[in-house]
Amino acid sequence: MEQAGVGWIAAIIIGGIAGWLAEQFMKSNMGVFMNIILGIVGAIVANAILSVFGIALGGWLGYLIAGFIGACILIALGRLIRR
């Protein structure tokens, strides 16, 4: 997160927004705390996946996009594991 130029407080806020957007997009029912966790962990996962392809997202908007993509991936993986 520090590499993307986003501090911890901003990461929590952006992670919450990214998690909420992913929750709405994937039509899942999570709480606020889980949205924040999904957004932050999702951003880490998405940045790792995107770095394999040579794509680097930085700043607030990049962190939001990466958080959304990663949170959607995590929700989909959670659904697969529950089945």
Side-chain angles (χ1 to χ4, degrees), residues 6-64:
V6 177
W8 285 102
I9 305 260
I12 291 171
I13 293 168
I14 297 169
I17 294 169
W20 179 79
L21 288 171
E23 176 187 52
Q24 299 301 312
F25 182 75
M26 298 293 286
K27 295 179 179 37
S28 66
N29 189 14
M30 310 277 183
V32 172
F33 181 71
M34 195 61 184
N35 285 342
I36 294 170
I37 298 298
L38 280 173
I40 292 172
V41 174
I44 294 168
V45 169
N47 277 326
I49 292 170
L50 291 174
S51 68
V52 170
F53 297 106
I55 300 171
L57 299 175
W60 290 59
L61 185 60
Y63 191 78
L64 180 67

